[in-house]
Amino acid sequence: MLDLLAPALTPEQGERLTRTAYKQDFRERENAIRDGSSWKLERRQHFEEQGSPSRDALRRGDWDEALRLLADRRDTLAAAAQEEARRGYAFHRVRVVEKPLTPYVQWELHSQRQRAQHGQRIRVIPAERVAASESTHPLPELVVLGGHTLFQVLYTETGVANGAIRNTDRDLVTRWENYIKALYAAGEDVISYFDREVAHLDPPTLSAGRE
C-alpha cells in the first residue's frame, strides 16, 4: 500500500462538460502541447467504449477478432508515436488492476501492451496499493494535460462515457499530477506485467451480457 494519499477533489469547483464538449476541448488542449507531458489515471474495471471495432468484437464474445483488430492498428500507433516525438510530447498512463481480471481489463491490457510496444508510457499498479486512498470511494478517472488542465472523466454506472469536469486551478492540477506521477513511479511496466499475468490467460468468459 502506498503511504501517499490522493488529493481531495470537489467536482462542484470545476466546469461540467458534455461528452462532445469534453472530446473537443481535450483534443484542442492536447494538440497545443509542445515539449510537455500528460498523465492519465484509469481506475474503473469496466468501460463501455464506443467507436472501437475491437471493443465491439469483445462485446460479441469474438475474442480472436478483437485481438486481430487490435493488430490492425499498428501503423496508426506508429504514426501517432512519431508525431508525439516530433512535438516533444509524452503521454503517461497508470492502470489500476483488480484480480481476477475483468474481461474488459484483460482486453485492455492487450491493447495497452501494444501501445507500449510503440513507445507509449504505461504502467500497472495493483488495487491494493491504492487502498489507503479509497476508504470512502474508488479513485476517480483523471487526465492531467500539460500541467495546466485536470479533467475528471465521468461515466454512467454501466461504464458509458458521460462527459467530464474540467478544472484549471493550478494548485489542484499540480497536486493531482504529482499523485499520478507517484503511482506511475510505483507501478510496473505494462509489458512485463502482461507477460507474467495476462499472456497465458484463456479468452475471457462473458456473463449476463456484460463483459
Side-chain angles (χ1 to χ4, degrees):
M1 184 182 299
L2 292 175
D3 293 332
L4 181 66
L5 294 178
L9 185 62
T10 305
E12 291 76 15
Q13 293 179 347
E15 181 181 357
R16 180 72 161 84
L17 303 176
T18 65
R19 181 172 180 268
T20 299
Y22 163 60
K23 290 176 65 177
Q24 179 177 345
D25 192 57
F26 184 100
R27 187 182 309 111
E28 291 175 353
R29 289 174 183 268
E30 186 179 41
N31 288 342
I33 298 173
R34 299 291 186 274
D35 299 316
S37 61
S38 295
W39 300 82
K40 183 175 185 179
L41 173 62
E42 296 178 317
R43 177 60 181 91
R44 290 179 62 100
Q45 304 298 292
H46 178 85
F47 294 99
E48 286 292 343
E49 292 186 6
Q50 300 172 338
S52 168
S54 177
R55 179 68 177 88
D56 292 341
L58 172 65
R59 192 175 290 108
R60 296 192 305 268
D62 192 342
W63 182 244
D64 290 341
E65 178 70 358
L67 297 186
R68 186 192 68 77
L69 288 166
L70 286 179
D72 284 349
R73 65 180 187 169
R74 292 186 184 279
D75 290 346
T76 300
L77 292 177
Q82 291 176 357
E83 171 60 17
E84 290 185 357
R86 184 188 67 79
R87 291 164 49 201
Y89 178 58
F91 191 92
H92 306 76
R93 296 172 185 259
V94 177
R95 160 41 85 181
V96 178
V97 170
E98 297 177 9
K99 285 187 174 180
L101 302 182
T102 63
Y104 174 86
V105 170
Q106 184 178 340
W107 169 82
E108 187 192 47
L109 289 170
H110 277 266
S111 173
Q112 292 188 340
R113 173 178 176 268
Q114 185 191 47
R115 290 180 179 277
Q117 289 173 330
H118 287 83
Q120 294 195 20
R121 299 158 177 83
I122 305 172
R123 293 190 178 177
V124 174
I125 193 162
E128 55 267 24
R129 298 291 305 277
V130 299
S133 294
E134 298 190 322
S135 59
T136 58
H137 50 75
L139 288 169
E141 308 294 319
L142 295 176
V143 185
V144 178
L145 281 185
H148 300 291
T149 308
L150 172 68
F151 289 108
Q152 180 182 355
V153 191
L154 305 176
Y155 296 87
T156 66
E157 290 186 4
T158 58
V160 177
N162 193 29
I165 297 172
R166 180 179 61 203
N167 200 306
T168 56
D169 178 83
R170 189 57 183 266
D171 181 62
L172 181 66
V173 172
T174 298
R175 283 187 280 120
W176 271 107
E177 182 177 68
N178 288 339
Y179 178 73
I180 300 174
K181 285 181 177 179
L183 295 186
Y184 186 88
E188 178 180 357
D189 181 83
V190 69
I191 293 178
S192 63
Y193 182 88
F194 179 95
D195 290 345
R196 186 183 68 255
E197 302 288 347
V198 183
H200 66 280
L201 296 178
D202 292 330
T205 300
L206 310 186
S207 60
R210 185 178 187 273
E211 61 304 343

